Amino acid sequence: MKQRGPGGDRPLTRRPGAGEGAAAKPKIEKASANDQALDSVIAADKRDALKLAPVSHETEARLDRYIALLREWQAKTNLVAPSTLPHLWTRHIADSLQLVDLAPSAKRWADLGSGGGFPGVVLACAMAGTPDARVHLVERIAKKAAFLREAVRITISPGVVHLAEIGDNVDRITGPVDCVTARALAPLHHLIGFAEPLMRQGAKALFPKGQDVEAELTEAAKYWNIQPLLHRSRTGDGWIVELSSAERRG
């Protein structure tokens, strides 16, 4: 449609808006530069992480595929805090891998509230070459459960995803469990309640916690008779709470 402009009957021309024509190119280049910078930071962080928690070449390759998938899905699903992306390997991968050394004979794990796969998918990648290994990933959010299934598929790791409420884990998980864990899910006294049925069947519990672990232990002792063993985290100022049993007070 023509409109009358100051110079007579001729179409009015419109200047390209933001994100159109030539203006779009600098934005694409900027995004690409940002991605490249993040790639470089993540690569350096990976080197640091694998010094803290060395793995085989096969496990490293699985973890590479997992991290690539996580970064792809992160754009549309919030799997990890965006501020932690530059330190995916130390903050999340190495932090998860250290649990293996605390339960070296464990083959069957249960990860409650797996979320983005920490520590569950990482454990599954580490267990991939272990006969009869299995890692149960319990997640209540369908979109995250879908991500976990894809992560297990592309890493060819022995993970089993359960779309369920965390408290329903006993009904969903079949067979024995050697070790149960949960990361950034709930206060310690709630975690013990979720894990106690599995612990009663012989599982050991390993719960990564932050600097406020003493306060959480004090609160948990109001509800549970426990004898915790604390392990200092290799990847920060946190701790890992180890429990072999728990008995509800009262």
Side-chain angles (χ1 to χ4, degrees):
M1 177 179 178
K2 293 184 179 181
Q3 296 183 21
R4 176 176 288 275
D9 291 329
R10 58 186 177 185
L12 288 175
T13 57
R14 184 171 62 89
R15 293 182 179 179
E20 297 181 33
K25 188 175 180 181
K27 289 191 175 182
I28 295 173
E29 291 176 348
K30 183 178 180 180
S32 178
N34 288 340
D35 288 343
Q36 290 174 6
L38 182 58
D39 289 344
S40 178
V41 172
I42 289 177
D45 184 60
K46 175 185 174 180
R47 290 191 292 270
D48 292 338
L50 293 183
K51 291 177 184 177
L52 294 171
V55 296
S56 68
H57 292 302
E58 292 80 8
T59 297
E60 181 182 346
R62 290 187 181 92
L63 292 171
D64 280 332
R65 293 196 293 272
Y66 168 46
I67 288 295
L69 180 72
L70 185 145
R71 291 181 64 186
E72 177 185 338
W73 277 60
Q74 178 71 13
K76 54 186 177 181
T77 304
N78 189 34
L79 298 171
V80 297
S83 61
T84 67
L85 284 174
H87 305 290
L88 278 171
W89 281 85
T90 51
R91 180 75 176 269
H92 297 300
I93 297 291
D95 193 64
S96 299
L97 284 171
Q98 65 181 326
L99 299 181
V100 176
D101 291 338
L102 297 179
S105 61
K107 294 183 178 181
R108 294 150 304 194
W109 292 72
D111 179 28
L112 309 181
S114 295
F118 304 109
V121 172
V122 178
L123 294 172
C125 289
M127 296 282 114
T130 303
D132 302 321
R134 176 165 292 191
V135 181
H136 297 277
L137 310 169
V138 183
E139 175 53 48
R140 67 181 184 85
I141 299 175
K143 189 176 292 186
K144 291 183 178 180
F147 166 76
L148 293 171
R149 291 191 186 96
E150 182 63 9
V152 167
R153 186 188 71 81
I154 67 166
T155 57
I156 317 175
S157 56
V160 179
V161 179
H162 305 276
L163 176 59
E165 292 295 329
I166 308 305
D168 296 339
N169 62 79
V170 175
D171 295 332
R172 300 280 180 164
I173 296 173
T174 58
V177 171
D178 301 317
C179 198
V180 56
T181 187
R183 183 176 182 262
L185 175 63
L188 183 61
H189 67 283
H190 288 311
L191 292 181
I192 296 172
F194 296 143
E196 190 273 337
L198 295 173
M199 295 170 66
R200 203 186 321 134
Q201 296 174 14
K204 177 169 70 174
L206 291 173
F207 298 132
K209 284 293 174 182
Q211 291 178 304
D212 59 348
V213 64
E214 290 293 344
E216 290 205 43
L217 285 168
T218 299
E219 183 67 15
K222 297 176 182 179
Y223 307 93
W224 301 94
N225 288 314
I226 53 175
Q227 294 185 349
L229 180 61
L230 294 182
H231 305 274
R232 184 177 289 278
S233 174
R234 301 177 195 169
T235 61
D237 298 327
W239 298 82
I240 300 164
V241 179
E242 178 180 339
L243 297 171
S244 296
S245 63
E247 182 180 345
R248 191 180 293 275
R249 289 188 181 275

